[in-house]
């Protein structure tokens, strides 16, 4: 094996640190999905603007002019434009030309009406960057440098969450390793996108839940278990609310493992409080801050909601049609549709990699001793509700404002949205009786996994380099 005697968490940490660090600097600005709004939100929160501002009937925030120009200048610059290259000279001057004018302007955008907790780690990255750049000298807090530190903030959480997920895993370790080091995941992990947080956080939650659920009856949940569960709950609640149904799985953990009813109830209350404080409160406060201003975006979303209410059956038809017509797009985006969905891997690589991922998942699924029927059923319910919520939110939000009201497909769904859900699918099929795996088969899979991890990492760097630098 390539990584002989290496644990999965060690492989992840080494490969992710090397590849992720390269991608942070190799990827041009505004070349990851929705990077413009993610960066602007992170910057705004780093200046203490936790709620949207209203000016002349418009909703937005106050942003430094050089940051506005930087974002607008790069946003869409490379999209499907393979003739435009990024140069070392451009990167160098973006980093070293000191800021002299710090004046700001009101920047109108519905995308700035976000939950501040969603951008916790990228905002902390910017704050740390501002402090460190002051030590370097005056004016080096350039838009590019702040963007790099926002990416680093996300990347650090991605590394920690991925490492702890693998370290504490009692099942599906190889599957998690392949997911964490998949090109799409690595690319997002080295970005300012909150998808980096969500993917690592969801895998961490899966690892914690399965460890506690499969633990023997005499196991007693300790403070470390509770802290990890609370952090995972924080991520799922604040980043992507469609993942909240998976938190219901926590009710399946035997109360005896908590060491008493009081501790069990306290944990439930803690999760609820996280939801109230970190999601409901910011949502309510943001609504109040807007002074009852209704944007065109919200009007279209309301119209789309009413359309679904009036045509509920038709919405399910639209959902199924969207999955059928865009399945190839979803699969490509699941494995590795880099850049702004315009830089895909060669089809043979994607197909072989996805088939291998599925084979490893099935093999590991069949090594789990026993999962109760009620857990399998509740898990299927959570998956269906999450997918339905994903399509619903996109249809009333993105589709309504881009494609129109009542259109026959959901536009805006991307393959990366399914990465956090993927591993949960196999909970409902776990059964050691299905396959009697042999050690020899396991050794072969370990060897092939190592190869796929290494080749995927190398391919990711090469693809990005060829796409933007040559």
């Amino acid at each position: 094996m390539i990584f002989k005697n290496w644990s999965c968490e060690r492989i992840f940490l080494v490969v992710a640190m090397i590849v992720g660090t390269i991608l942070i600097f190799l990827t041009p600005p505004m070349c990851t999905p929705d990077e413009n709004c993610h960066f602007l939100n992170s910057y705004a929160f780093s200046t203490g603007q936790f709620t949207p501002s209203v000016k002349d009937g418009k909703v937005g925030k106050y942003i430094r002019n050089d940051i506005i120009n930087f974002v607008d200048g790069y946003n869409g610059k490379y999209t499907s434009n393979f003739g435009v290259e990024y140069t070392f000279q451009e990167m160098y001057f973006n980093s070293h030309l000191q800021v002299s004018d710090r004046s700001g302007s009101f920047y109108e955008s519905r995308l700035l009406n976000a939950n501040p907790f969603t951008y916790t780690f990228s905002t902390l990255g910017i704050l740390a960057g501002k402090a460190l750049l002051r030590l370097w000298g005056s004016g080096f807090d350039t838009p590019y440098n702040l963007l790099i530190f926002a990416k680093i903030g996300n990347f650090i959480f991605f590394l920690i969450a991925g490492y702890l997920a693998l370290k504490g895993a009692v099942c599906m370790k190889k599957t998690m390793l392949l997911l964490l080091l998949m090109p799409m995941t690595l690319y997002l992990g080295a970005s300012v996108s909150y998808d980096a947080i969500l993917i690592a956080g969801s895998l961490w939650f899966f690892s914690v839940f399965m460890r506690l659920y499969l633990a023997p009856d005499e196991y007693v949940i300790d403070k470390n278990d509770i802290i990890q569960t609370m952090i995972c709950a924080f991520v799922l609640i604040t980043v992507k609310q469609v993942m909240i149904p998976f938190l219901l799985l926590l009710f399946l953990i035997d109360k005896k493992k908590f060491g008493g009813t009081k501790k069990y109830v306290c944990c439930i209350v803690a999760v609820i409080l996280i939801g109230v404080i970190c999601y409901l409160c910011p949502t309510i406060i943001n609504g109040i801050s807007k002074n009852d201003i209704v944007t065109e975006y919200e009007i279209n979303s309301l119209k789309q909601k009413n359309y679904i209410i009036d045509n509920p059956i038709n919405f399910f038809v639209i959902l199924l049609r969207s999955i059928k017509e865009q399945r190839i797009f979803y699969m490509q985006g699941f494995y590795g549709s880099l850049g702004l969905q315009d830089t895909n891997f060669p089809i043979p690589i994607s197909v072989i990699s996805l088939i291998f991922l599925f084979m490893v998942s099935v093999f590991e699924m069949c090594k789990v001793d026993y999962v109760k029927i009620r857990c399998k059923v509740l898990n299927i319910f959570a998956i269906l509700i999450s997918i339905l919520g994903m399509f619903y939110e996109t249809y009333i939000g993105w589709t309504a404002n881009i494609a129109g009201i009542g259109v026959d497909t959901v536009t805006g769904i991307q393959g990366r949205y399914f990465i956090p859900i993927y591993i949960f699918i196999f909970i409902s099929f776990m059964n050691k009786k299905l396959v009697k795996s042999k050690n020899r088969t396991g050794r072969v899979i370990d060897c092939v996994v190592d190869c796929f991890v290494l080749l995927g990492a190398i391919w990711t760097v090469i693809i990005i380099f060829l796409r933007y630098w040559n």
Side-chain angles (χ1 to χ4, degrees):
M1 291 186 290
I2 299 172
F3 301 104
K4 190 175 182 180
N5 298 325
W6 281 33
S7 63
C8 286
E9 56 268 26
R10 185 181 178 188
I11 295 172
F12 164 73
L13 204 57
V14 172
V15 175
M17 284 186 69
I18 294 173
V19 177
T21 303
I22 293 172
L23 290 176
I24 285 174
F25 295 95
L26 197 65
T27 306
M30 309 304 124
C31 283
T32 54
D34 302 319
E35 186 169 308
N36 57 325
C37 71
H38 293 316
F39 177 48
L40 289 173
N41 273 315
S42 301
Y43 171 77
F45 295 139
S46 74
T47 61
Q49 299 181 76
F50 299 116
T51 57
S53 300
V54 176
K55 183 179 180 181
D56 300 328
K58 298 178 180 179
V59 179
K61 289 183 180 175
Y62 290 90
I63 309 292
R64 246 170 46 192
N65 289 327
D66 61 324
I67 291 179
I68 294 174
N69 295 332
F70 175 78
V71 170
D72 290 345
Y74 278 104
N75 192 32
K77 179 179 178 179
Y78 302 96
T79 307
S80 301
N81 192 346
F82 294 92
V84 178
E85 297 179 2
Y86 192 53
T87 65
F88 176 79
Q89 179 183 359
E90 193 174 353
M91 181 180 70
Y92 181 85
F93 285 115
N94 279 339
S95 181
H96 286 77
L97 288 180
Q98 294 162 271
V99 177
S100 55
D101 182 8
R102 296 179 178 277
S103 59
S105 300
F106 182 79
Y107 191 85
E108 180 196 6
S109 175
R110 65 172 180 80
L111 299 172
L112 294 177
N113 184 24
N115 184 339
F117 291 106
T118 303
Y119 295 93
T120 297
F121 304 101
S122 54
T123 300
L124 290 174
I126 291 178
L127 290 172
K130 287 180 178 179
L132 293 172
L133 290 168
R134 284 197 195 98
L135 298 176
W136 189 260
S138 176
F140 285 105
D141 55 338
T142 68
Y144 174 80
N145 289 339
L146 294 179
L147 174 62
I148 292 297
F149 276 103
K151 290 182 177 183
I152 292 173
N154 265 7
F155 186 53
I156 290 174
F157 177 84
F158 175 76
L159 289 175
I160 294 172
Y163 177 84
L164 292 175
L166 289 167
K167 186 177 178 61
V170 295
C171 63
M172 307 288 286
K173 265 198 171 189
K174 293 295 181 181
T175 301
M176 283 195 285
L177 180 65
L178 287 171
L179 287 171
L180 285 166
L181 294 180
M182 199 164 57
M184 192 73 238
T185 310
L186 274 175
Y187 191 66
L188 292 170
S191 76
V192 73
S193 171
Y194 53 56
D195 286 304
I197 307 302
L198 178 63
I199 293 171
S202 64
L203 290 175
W204 190 7
F205 174 75
F206 171 86
S207 174
V208 172
F209 167 72
M210 292 305 296
R211 185 176 73 247
L212 300 181
Y213 179 78
L214 296 175
D217 293 338
E218 60 270 17
Y219 182 86
V220 178
I221 293 174
D222 59 20
K223 187 182 296 184
N224 180 57
D225 296 325
I226 294 174
I227 291 173
Q228 290 194 42
T229 303
M230 294 303 106
I231 295 174
C232 293
F234 168 82
V235 171
L236 298 188
I237 290 170
T238 58
V239 177
K240 210 82 164 180
Q241 288 72 53
V242 295
M243 294 294 293
I244 291 177
F246 289 104
L247 293 176
L248 295 175
L249 294 173
L250 295 173
F251 285 102
L252 299 176
I253 300 173
D254 196 331
K255 294 180 183 179
K256 297 177 182 178
K257 296 176 184 177
F258 286 86
T261 304
K262 183 179 179 180
K263 192 175 180 181
Y264 177 74
V265 172
C266 287
C267 290
I268 294 174
V269 172
V271 172
I272 294 173
L273 284 176
I274 288 173
V276 172
I277 296 171
C278 299
Y279 176 67
L280 287 181
C281 289
T283 301
I284 294 170
I285 293 171
N286 281 351
I288 295 173
S289 300
K290 289 167 55 182
N291 294 332
D292 296 325
I293 292 176
V294 180
T295 63
E296 184 180 356
Y297 173 88
E298 292 169 324
I299 292 172
N300 290 333
S301 295
L302 182 59
K303 289 179 180 179
Q304 196 80 297
K305 284 181 183 178
N306 291 332
Y307 173 81
I308 294 174
I309 292 172
D310 295 335
N311 305 275
I313 303 300
N314 194 40
F315 174 68
F316 286 98
V317 175
I318 291 171
L319 188 155
L320 294 174
R321 183 189 297 117
S322 301
I323 294 175
K324 179 182 177 182
E325 293 180 357
Q326 301 183 58
R327 63 188 183 280
I328 304 300
F329 175 71
Y330 295 157
M331 287 189 287
Q332 186 69 64
F334 182 92
Y335 177 73
S337 186
L338 310 184
L340 294 170
Q341 298 288 294
D342 61 358
T343 307
N344 297 322
F345 281 71
I347 292 176
I349 292 178
S350 299
V351 171
I352 293 171
S353 298
L354 287 173
I355 291 174
F356 179 70
L357 171 64
F358 181 75
M359 290 173 60
V360 172
S361 302
V362 172
F363 175 80
E364 291 197 304
M365 171 191 80
C366 297
K367 294 172 67 177
V368 179
D369 287 329
Y370 179 68
V371 173
K372 294 180 180 179
I373 293 296
R374 62 179 180 178
C375 179
K376 294 180 178 182
V377 173
L378 181 58
N379 181 65
I380 291 175
F381 171 79
I383 291 170
L384 293 176
I385 293 299
S386 295
I387 293 176
L388 180 64
M390 183 193 306
F391 277 86
Y392 173 78
E393 284 190 353
T394 306
Y395 193 63
I396 67 171
W398 179 265
T399 306
N401 287 276
I402 299 300
I405 310 301
V407 293
D408 57 3
T409 55
V410 180
T411 58
I413 294 287
Q414 298 177 21
R416 71 179 190 273
Y417 295 176
F418 299 96
I419 299 176
I421 297 174
Y422 173 84
I423 198 166
F424 288 93
I425 295 172
F426 296 92
I427 292 179
S428 296
F429 302 95
M430 287 177 172
N431 193 331
K432 199 171 184 179
K433 295 179 181 179
L434 291 175
V435 175
K436 293 182 179 180
S437 58
K438 298 180 180 180
N439 291 332
R440 186 175 180 181
T441 306
R443 288 195 296 270
V444 172
I445 286 179
D446 289 346
C447 184
V448 181
V449 166
D450 292 350
C451 292
F452 269 82
V453 163
L454 196 58
L455 288 173
I458 294 171
W459 260 112
T460 304
V461 174
I462 291 175
I463 288 287
I464 292 300
F465 180 77
L466 293 177
R467 168 65 176 87
Y468 293 111
W469 294 78
N470 261 321

